[in-house]
Amino acid sequence: MWMAVHVASPRIWSRGLQKAWSTWGCRLCSQSSSNTQPSHHPRTQAEKAKRRQAREKAILSSVGYTYQNAYTTLPFPQSYSPEYVEFGWYQWWEKQGFFSPEQHSKQPHAVDKYFSLCIPPPNVTGTLHLGHALTVAIEDALARWRRMQGYKVLWLPGCDHAGIATQSVVERKLMREQGKCRQDYSREEFLKQVWRWKNQKGDEIYYQLRKLGASLDWSRACFTMDPGFSIAVTEAFIRLCDSGLIYRSEGLVNWSCALESAISDIEVDSKELSGRTLLSVPGYEQKVEFGIMVTFAYPLEGQQGEVAVSTTRPETMLGDVAIAVHPDDPRYKDLHGKHCRHPFTERLLPIVTDSMVDMAFGTGAVKVTPAHDHTDFLLSQRHSLPSLTVIGGDGIMTSDCGQWLEGVKRFDARERVITALMERKLFRGKKKHPMSLPICSRSGDVIEPLLKKQWFVRCQEMSRKAVQVSERVLNVWLHQIEIVLIDWCISRQLWWGHQIPAYRVTVDGSWLCLKQEQWVWGRSAAEARQRAAVKFGVNPDAITLTQDPDVLDTWFSSGLFPFAMLGWPQQTEDLKQFYPNSILETGSDLIFFWVARMVMLGRELTGQLPFKQVLFHSLVRDKYGRKMSKSLGNVIDPLDVISGVSLERLQEKVREGNLDPRESIVAMEAQKKDFPKGIPECGTDALRFALCSYKAQGEDISLSVSHVLSCRHFCNKMWQTVRFTLATLKWQKISLKGETYPLSSMDRWICSRLHSTVQQCERGFESYELHTVTSALHSFWLHSLCDVYLVSMICHDTERQVAASVLYHSVSISLALLSPFMPFLTEELWQRLLPYTDSDGTSRSLCVQPYPKTSQLEHWCFPKEEADFSLVEEVVRVARLLRAQCQLTKERPDYFPFYSNDVSIYRLLMTLSLSVNLQNGINADKQRALLSQRREKLASKLKQALACTQKPNYTEKVPDKVRKDTENKVGTEENGQMHFTKNCTYHISHKMK
């Protein structure tokens, strides 16, 4: 029916289109935010801009009064301004308590369900970056969606004390500003400095979260060093010690000599070296050589001959206790059970056999240094070999090396060892060797595996229990916990953090056992003393306790976050209502460092999994696909995208940081290339919408500022649409009381499109595929509502009141659908429409309105009209594309559809082609030149893509995924070139003749 009226009557439709594009339709299609009202007084562009800025400034200066009653009564600015829109809504939301679960009972649409989650606590070491912004955008969208559905929502904010990272930053700050190191202070004095720095940085992070619109319940904000949280950490340690899951032992740990502390695996970066490389190492004036394999010989004891071994760390040979060969290696069959003599210490080194030895590596014989290598440590345990520490925690060679090396720094000792081997004619050469070098992410130091007495958590049994329970609830990745999580070192040699509640015991001034330390633990020193008295059967007064100066690993305390933040170990109301959390949403890089540990600790300490579902998002990279790094200069502060920032300020931030001067130069050069004019103001809503528009699960997200800017243009489109809607409602003086029934085919089509959009939103949210929700909403507002329906309203005068009512409902429902993603803009626009609603007065804020449901819009479902209208949508799209291709952005031509015997250039249905009257204002020669350039560009791209596939051994060398991507690219380029040559050249250049 619709098709018969609008497609079979091309002349009528042509007149309508001409009228529409000559008025509002063209303005809505423009990306410009210029004045949409015609000027009756000729003024220069500069004068117009000046008057507009003065008017906007006057409105903005009084905006503070707007939010007292959450009712927008000020004049509606002509263009969208993020600064104006985002000025005061958050303070009003927070003041009204909309983010508190206690508001649940006040909502008419409340349901008896809860939704709780905790924000992955950002480190208090600095400001948030775009990775944090992605987390906030996703989690806030989910929290706001559930809140609008009537759930009792609790989203808890918090910060992590970040032991090593925070202490490192504060130490560098004190050295830079005061020339003092940590040891120049007492522990208490240093901690005061850290707390002062934390209070400043913590406020900055919470300010950023508010700017991002995060609907967090700030009354329950949690910091991992708060007194209540510290009680939970102590309780967890005591319970795990009592159950035998925490023990103290000597083990090999990742050690940073610069920090003089053990560090976790996540704080170790692997630097891949292709060969000989000179690197800067803290504490060394000259660069140190890496990526070299040294070969030297050990003389056989009691017979002629030698065994040559290869190593990238010759300085550790002073700690060698054996030589290992593969039992099947024919080169060493006759040497099994024999010994070599160490040339510097005279120790006998047994030759042992082990199948873990790689016969193809080096000479096939490996030196065994248990105290300085993880693999060697495991091998030594199988063969009952001793361990000898020759490098101290400060990176200095120990007395076990002999006087000639004692007190020498480890990498200086490397050169001395090589020289000494040459002098004894045991040096057999060196060569380039690709290797992976472990680097401390906090200090830049080269990690030294060291044997240290530490506190460890037994993970195997806990992970087994967690897997058994989670098989029915969580994802498959938990099956890998048992493989990945070996016993976990939880002690750190720091001052900032939770001091370990364990005490070394002495009785009457003597150690209880000379061969073994004796330890007890307790919630307080008094409890520990009583435990010691019972354990050793002595009077408590005879006991002296010395608390372990070490602190617990930050991941231990953050592993308690889902239940400790709710008041555990006390059985608080929050714990009863909101535990387990409904969902955990976090980055995929934290599966084993944080998520797995939360699962294990939660299951062990509470008897339940800490969350019911786990949702991982991908990492945010820069537009080139690189991981964001301060040293690369590609880390972006979300506030800089929201408010805009100059290149000068970006570079000033780099200079204010703690980067090495050489890294600062690289970072600033990268900024000049990527942001030559700085970053334009995009606003919070545009940033959030852009982040949620990417597929969060799967490949990493390469975010460009240009994509965020395009979302800002979409915000302006929404702004102009509501301005038009308000004008329409005012002119028509329409009453919106009662139900709206669409009459015309166009009304039924837009209503049905809205129904389908609500359905897509429901499915997308339920499956946590937010990119499908944003795509559906963007498509409906831009292509259906603006590009077609508003134009139709201007073209036709019939049933204006019904159309205006349909428009109002389409806009207001769309604002509600968009609210979880764009909270500021949708609140502003919804409040503008509020005077026209038939609400009973309970509609205080959009953020607590019911989220639209398809069940409420079933009477607006017209599948036939929706299906038939796809042709018209394609015509509109092609018309705009042709206009852009012909560069007719200023002078608006006439459009008219006509029938053609052949298939149109864009394969329109029913062979309907669209022609543009190009007789006025177009240069045919210029268009031909542009078309030639485009054709040459397409040919060049196709040639490059084909060249990749014609390289020798392409099929064997190139991975399947890369080959598939390349083949898809070739196909796309071939289709594009054929399509362009066959269609565009004919239908445009021929029309110009």
Side-chain angles (χ1 to χ4, degrees):
M1 179 175 65
W2 197 97
M3 296 286 287
V5 175
H6 292 274
V7 176
S9 306
R11 293 176 182 169
I12 298 175
W13 195 50
S14 174
R15 289 196 299 270
L17 281 174
Q18 180 179 357
K19 178 182 178 183
W21 260 286
S22 66
T23 53
W24 186 264
C26 294
R27 300 186 196 122
L28 287 175
C29 300
S30 173
Q31 296 292 345
S32 171
S33 58
S34 60
N35 190 346
T36 59
Q37 297 297 329
S39 175
H40 300 288
H41 304 283
R43 301 190 186 94
T44 65
Q45 291 296 324
E47 289 173 338
K48 291 179 181 178
K50 187 175 181 180
R51 288 173 62 89
R52 184 171 62 252
Q53 290 173 3
R55 184 165 55 250
E56 303 289 343
K57 185 176 180 181
I59 296 173
L60 186 60
S61 64
S62 59
V63 76
Y65 300 100
T66 304
Y67 304 94
Q68 292 179 2
N69 299 313
Y71 182 77
T72 309
T73 57
L74 295 176
F76 201 174
Q78 294 180 353
S79 60
Y80 167 67
S81 165
E83 179 186 12
Y84 171 80
V85 170
E86 298 166 13
F87 178 78
W89 286 118
Y90 195 93
Q91 293 89 329
W92 180 71
W93 289 329
E94 192 175 346
K95 183 179 180 181
Q96 295 296 316
F98 292 141
F99 306 153
S100 169
E102 283 72 29
Q103 286 284 323
H104 175 259
S105 59
K106 302 178 182 178
Q107 305 306 322
H109 61 289
V111 296
D112 188 20
K113 295 181 180 180
Y114 80 88
F115 182 77
S116 65
L117 72 164
C118 62
I119 192 170
N123 290 351
V124 74
T125 49
T127 54
L128 304 183
H129 52 68
L130 285 180
H132 296 109
L134 174 63
T135 300
V136 171
I138 293 174
E139 293 185 8
D140 192 41
L142 295 176
R144 288 177 178 272
W145 167 60
R146 287 300 192 193
R147 192 179 290 116
M148 294 177 74
Q149 283 192 316
Y151 281 57
K152 192 173 188 177
V153 175
L154 176 61
W155 185 26
L156 280 176
C159 269
D160 190 278
H161 66 278
I164 290 178
T166 301
Q167 181 163 310
S168 299
V169 170
V170 174
E171 285 191 78
R172 288 197 297 268
K173 179 176 180 290
L174 293 175
M175 179 57 68
R176 184 176 64 251
E177 296 177 356
Q178 302 178 22
K180 294 182 178 181
C181 62
R182 170 169 48 116
Q183 288 74 17
D184 294 328
Y185 299 87
S186 67
R187 184 167 184 153
E188 291 72 21
E189 290 172 341
F190 179 76
L191 290 178
K192 287 181 180 178
Q193 295 284 345
V194 180
W195 273 107
R196 187 178 299 116
W197 186 88
K198 176 268 166 189
N199 291 333
Q200 173 190 352
K201 284 298 178 180
D203 290 344
E204 289 182 19
I205 290 173
Y206 286 169
Y207 172 73
Q208 284 182 300
L209 290 172
R210 285 180 165 93
K211 284 289 289 182
L212 285 166
S215 58
L216 294 152
D217 183 2
W218 293 105
S219 66
R220 290 173 167 88
C222 177
F223 178 53
T224 52
M225 288 291 287
D226 285 342
F229 202 98
S230 296
I231 291 173
V233 173
T234 299
E235 182 68 23
F237 184 88
I238 300 303
R239 292 190 187 186
L240 293 174
C241 281
D242 288 344
S243 62
L245 291 172
I246 289 182
Y247 66 96
R248 185 173 175 84
S249 177
E250 189 173 54
L252 205 63
V253 298
N254 297 318
W255 188 270
S256 170
C257 296
L259 299 173
E260 294 193 49
S261 174
I263 65 174
S264 67
D265 291 339
I266 199 172
E267 289 157 330
V268 178
D269 294 333
S270 293
K271 190 175 184 66
E272 301 299 326
L273 306 180
S274 59
R276 181 178 182 272
T277 308
L278 296 177
L279 297 175
S280 298
V281 178
Y284 292 82
E285 294 183 2
Q286 302 296 324
K287 289 187 175 182
V288 180
E289 181 184 64
F290 297 95
I292 295 294
M293 181 181 287
V294 173
T295 303
F296 65 92
Y298 275 122
L300 285 167
E301 176 68 12
Q303 67 182 79
Q304 293 294 321
E306 65 183 32
V307 177
V309 297
S310 299
T311 179
T312 59
R313 303 169 66 211
E315 67 277 10
T316 64
M317 62 91 65
L318 277 303
D320 289 355
V321 297
I323 297 171
V325 296
H326 196 282
D328 299 332
D329 194 331
R331 292 171 292 181
Y332 304 105
K333 280 287 187 183
D334 298 334
L335 299 182
H336 297 178
K338 301 294 180 67
H339 291 76
C340 288
R341 177 73 66 177
H342 198 289
F344 303 130
T345 66
E346 298 301 318
R347 286 193 307 273
L348 286 177
L349 308 180
I351 300 174
V352 300
T353 60
D354 198 292
S355 58
M356 67 172 292
V357 175
D358 183 0
M359 290 187 286
F361 178 79
T363 64
V366 297
K367 56 192 285 297
V368 181
T369 321
H372 296 282
D373 184 272
H374 291 281
T375 303
D376 292 359
F377 181 72
L378 296 175
L379 189 148
S380 71
Q381 291 180 319
R382 289 196 296 272
H383 296 275
S384 301
L385 297 172
S387 297
L388 186 64
T389 298
V390 294
I391 301 176
D394 55 359
I396 303 297
M397 306 304 285
T398 68
S399 59
D400 289 333
C401 301
Q403 293 184 353
W404 69 292
L405 280 183
E406 182 180 1
V408 178
K409 292 192 291 186
R410 53 181 170 154
F411 296 126
D412 292 339
R414 175 178 295 182
E415 301 303 321
R416 293 197 186 189
V417 168
I418 293 175
T419 301
L421 289 169
M422 289 179 175
E423 291 173 353
R424 297 189 180 226
K425 306 205 181 294
L426 297 173
F427 183 76
R428 298 293 178 262
K430 66 178 183 179
K431 63 179 181 179
K432 297 178 181 179
H433 178 68
M435 62 180 294
S436 180
L437 191 67
I439 302 292
C440 174
S441 64
R442 304 304 180 187
S443 64
D445 192 19
V446 177
I447 295 299
E448 189 68 46
L450 287 184
L451 203 57
K452 292 283 186 179
K453 287 187 176 180
Q454 304 283 302
W455 294 94
F456 292 87
V457 175
R458 303 183 198 275
C459 293
Q460 287 82 359
E461 182 61 20
M462 281 201 294
S463 66
R464 185 186 62 81
K465 292 179 182 178
V467 169
Q468 288 177 347
V469 176
S470 62
E471 281 178 341
R472 302 184 302 273
V473 184
L474 298 179
N475 298 330
V476 181
W477 57 266
L478 284 175
H479 290 290
Q480 306 174 42
I481 291 181
E482 291 177 308
I483 301 173
V484 176
L485 287 180
I486 59 175
D487 285 3
W488 167 23
C489 174
I490 58 171
S491 45
R492 300 289 180 263
Q493 291 63 51
L494 306 172
W495 287 354
W496 173 246
H498 297 102
Q499 190 170 354
I500 296 176
Y503 303 80
R504 193 172 183 183
V505 182
T506 59
V507 178
D508 294 331
S510 301
W511 295 111
L512 288 174
C513 180
L514 295 177
K515 295 183 179 179
Q516 187 176 3
E517 300 174 343
Q518 297 294 336
W519 292 83
V520 294
W521 41 86
R523 297 168 182 82
S524 64
E527 181 182 339
R529 185 182 304 279
Q530 188 61 39
R531 283 173 175 249
V534 173
K535 181 178 180 179
F536 301 113
V538 297
N539 191 305
D541 295 336
I543 293 174
T544 301
L545 299 179
T546 304
Q547 187 173 359
D548 191 335
D550 292 351
V551 300
L552 288 166
D553 179 15
T554 300
W555 295 104
F556 183 84
S557 53
S558 62
L560 311 176
F561 206 76
F563 47 95
M565 67 175 186
L566 296 172
W568 184 91
Q570 302 299 320
Q571 290 300 309
T572 63
E573 285 301 314
D574 279 356
L575 191 66
K576 294 175 184 177
Q577 286 189 66
F578 300 111
Y579 187 80
N581 291 175
S582 303
I583 193 171
L584 173 77
E585 196 284 329
T586 188
S588 55
D589 55 330
L590 295 179
I591 292 178
F592 299 110
F593 297 108
W594 188 43
V595 180
R597 287 165 178 170
M598 283 191 289
V599 169
M600 290 191 304
L601 292 172
R603 169 66 182 81
E604 187 65 34
L605 295 171
T606 71
Q608 301 180 75
L609 293 179
F611 24 75
K612 299 175 182 177
Q613 289 180 297
V614 181
L615 178 65
F616 293 115
H617 64 249
S618 303
L619 298 180
V620 178
R621 298 181 179 272
D622 67 10
K623 63 181 179 181
Y624 306 110
R626 301 175 303 176
K627 184 177 180 180
M628 291 194 174
S629 165
K630 291 181 181 178
S631 59
L632 291 177
N634 60 353
V635 173
I636 302 177
D637 183 341
L639 296 191
D640 290 339
V641 180
I642 291 171
S643 303
V645 65
S646 65
L647 174 62
E648 291 74 21
R649 177 55 188 151
L650 285 173
Q651 307 223 309
E652 186 180 340
K653 286 186 175 184
V654 173
R655 288 190 289 268
E656 291 172 353
N658 292 310
L659 287 181
D660 179 273
R662 287 166 293 189
E663 291 180 328
S664 296
I665 294 174
V666 173
M668 288 192 287
E669 286 300 320
Q671 288 177 337
K672 288 180 182 178
K673 178 182 177 183
D674 293 342
F675 311 112
K677 297 181 180 179
I679 299 175
E681 178 192 33
C682 296
T684 298
D685 294 306
L687 175 60
R688 288 169 53 123
F689 195 79
L691 289 168
C692 289
S693 68
Y694 289 93
K695 186 176 181 180
Q697 294 82 39
E699 297 181 359
D700 291 346
I701 296 171
S702 295
L703 180 69
S704 65
V705 174
S706 61
H707 178 54
V708 185
L709 196 59
S710 70
C711 292
R712 189 219 190 275
H713 294 320
F714 176 56
C715 292
N716 184 60
K717 180 78 73 172
M718 293 170 58
W719 186 268
Q720 300 301 340
T721 303
V722 173
R723 289 188 70 239
F724 174 79
T725 302
L726 287 171
T728 301
L729 295 173
K730 181 179 179 181
W731 295 334
Q732 296 297 317
K733 298 180 180 179
I734 295 170
S735 172
L736 297 171
K737 301 288 185 181
E739 188 59 72
T740 296
Y741 294 96
L743 299 178
S744 70
S745 296
M746 179 67 78
D747 292 339
R748 290 197 296 275
W749 169 77
I750 193 65
C751 289
S752 191
R753 281 288 297 117
L754 181 59
H755 174 271
S756 298
T757 302
V758 173
Q759 191 175 58
Q760 288 175 284
C761 292
E762 286 178 339
R763 292 172 179 172
F765 266 122
E766 291 293 346
S767 61
Y768 300 121
E769 294 181 346
L770 301 189
H771 66 287
T772 64
V773 183
T774 56
S775 176
L777 291 170
H778 183 270
S779 177
F780 172 78
W781 194 295
L782 199 64
H783 302 305
S784 300
L785 187 61
C786 292
D787 288 355
V788 178
Y789 189 68
L790 293 187
V791 173
S792 173
M793 284 190 65
I794 298 172
C795 298
H796 303 282
D797 295 329
T798 58
E799 301 297 342
R800 289 293 296 266
Q801 289 201 348
V802 173
S805 179
V806 168
L807 174 62
Y808 166 80
H809 288 295
S810 298
V811 170
S812 60
I813 292 173
S814 298
L815 290 175
L817 293 170
L818 280 160
S819 179
F821 304 101
M822 296 179 164
F824 294 104
L825 178 58
T826 54
E827 183 75 69
E828 174 79 23
L829 297 178
W830 186 83
Q831 294 284 351
R832 296 281 181 178
L833 292 170
L834 192 58
Y836 295 93
T837 186
D838 57 354
S839 170
D840 58 2
T842 60
S843 306
R844 296 175 297 165
S845 172
L846 178 58
C847 69
V848 290
Q849 291 300 295
Y851 200 75
K853 299 179 182 179
T854 51
S855 59
Q856 299 169 339
L857 298 174
E858 291 297 339
H859 61 293
W860 277 9
C861 181
F862 304 103
K864 185 179 185 304
E865 277 83 351
E866 191 172 352
D868 291 345
F869 200 77
S870 59
L871 170 63
V872 177
E873 289 183 286
E874 187 69 5
V875 170
V876 174
R877 184 187 69 81
V878 172
R880 296 170 189 277
L881 182 60
L882 285 174
R883 175 180 160 189
Q885 287 180 346
C886 296
Q887 297 183 327
L888 300 174
T889 55
K890 291 184 178 180
E891 187 167 344
R892 303 181 178 96
D894 294 337
Y895 295 78
F896 57 94
F898 69 95
Y899 286 106
S900 172
N901 294 326
D902 60 346
V903 178
S904 68
I905 58 174
Y906 290 98
R907 301 174 184 175
L908 294 180
L909 299 176
M910 298 174 61
T911 68
L912 178 68
S913 294
L914 188 71
S915 200
V916 184
N917 186 353
L918 304 177
Q919 295 178 359
N920 298 322
I922 190 164
N923 188 319
D925 293 335
K926 182 179 179 181
Q927 287 299 311
R928 291 191 187 95
L930 288 172
L931 291 171
S932 297
Q933 291 176 7
R934 291 174 58 201
R935 182 167 52 192
E936 291 172 2
K937 188 175 181 180
L938 286 170
S940 176
K941 285 185 177 181
L942 178 59
K943 184 177 180 182
Q944 291 176 7
L946 287 171
C948 295
T949 66
Q950 296 169 355
K951 293 180 179 178
N953 301 321
Y954 171 79
T955 306
E956 294 78 14
K957 291 183 177 180
V958 179
D960 292 340
K961 184 179 184 303
V962 177
R963 289 205 312 271
K964 185 176 180 181
D965 291 343
T966 304
E967 290 168 3
N968 291 338
K969 186 176 181 181
V970 169
T972 301
E973 298 298 342
E974 287 178 338
N975 290 336
Q977 188 178 35
M978 179 182 68
H979 179 73
F980 179 83
T981 303
K982 183 178 179 180
N983 296 317
C984 290
T985 304
Y986 175 81
H987 280 276
I988 296 179
S989 64
H990 282 64
K991 293 285 190 294
M992 290 188 297
K993 289 183 177 181

